[in-house]
Amino acid sequence: MNTNAKPNTAFWIIAVAALLWNIIGVYFWLLEYFLMTDEIRATIPAEQVELMANAPAWSMYIYAIAVFGGLLGSLILLLRKRLAIGLFLISLIAVLLLQLYWIFAMDLVEVMGPQSLIMPLLVIAVAIFEYFYSKGAARNGWLV
């Protein structure tokens, strides 16, 4: 393993895309828990507002771990540090806990319809990709 290998252009594109994705995640966490106004709430389907209102208190913290773990992982990935792997793993575990809870325990599909699975499955897929990509980057010697 070459620990001084120079990452290719795709690495930088993926790392920046991961950073942007996770910034969006942090924004939505802030919006849901701190910035939600009645005007914004009025633009969201009533079923979704009810689901959000009925979510357990612990989900706020798991959501925070997921998005801030991903954000930190992305920043550390851009710095080419192996710590990104662990941060992405923590984020992935939190994503799985939260999204699977929403899908199965909160009856997401029953309340919102089958199209409501698109975003949770996309979030899970991206979290899995970020974790395994960071492991591959370390294997390629791009992370120290």
Side-chain angles (χ1 to χ4, degrees):
M1 173 173 73
N2 181 3
T3 58
N4 293 326
K6 182 179 176 186
N8 60 26
T9 304
F11 170 86
W12 296 109
I13 293 169
I14 290 169
V16 169
L19 178 64
L20 294 174
W21 171 263
N22 287 293
I23 287 171
I24 292 167
V26 169
Y27 169 76
F28 278 109
W29 181 81
L30 289 170
L31 179 65
E32 184 172 339
Y33 292 105
F34 298 103
L35 305 174
M36 185 72 69
T37 63
D38 290 335
E39 292 81 20
I40 295 171
R41 195 171 282 110
T43 65
I44 300 172
E47 299 86 5
Q48 185 176 347
V49 172
E50 185 177 335
L51 275 175
M52 290 164 51
N54 292 329
W58 58 261
S59 67
M60 172 184 177
Y61 303 107
I62 299 297
Y63 191 174
I65 291 168
V67 297
F68 285 101
L71 178 64
L72 287 173
S74 300
L75 290 169
I76 300 300
L77 185 66
L78 282 166
L79 294 174
R80 298 181 50 205
K81 303 293 181 191
R82 293 181 68 87
L83 177 60
I85 299 166
L87 291 167
F88 282 133
L89 178 60
I90 291 167
S91 177
L92 172 58
I93 292 167
V95 163
L96 289 171
L97 286 171
L98 186 64
Q99 297 302 333
L100 294 175
Y101 181 83
W102 271 86
I103 292 168
F104 296 112
M106 304 252 332
D107 295 324
L108 183 66
V109 175
E110 185 177 315
V111 175
M112 300 286 298
Q115 74 281 0
S116 63
L117 284 176
I118 294 170
M119 198 59 184
L121 294 177
L122 178 61
V123 169
I124 291 169
V126 170
I128 290 169
F129 175 80
E130 288 173 336
Y131 171 67
F132 283 104
Y133 187 79
S134 65
K135 283 185 69 159
R139 195 171 39 254
N140 288 336
W142 300 338
L143 306 182
V144 292

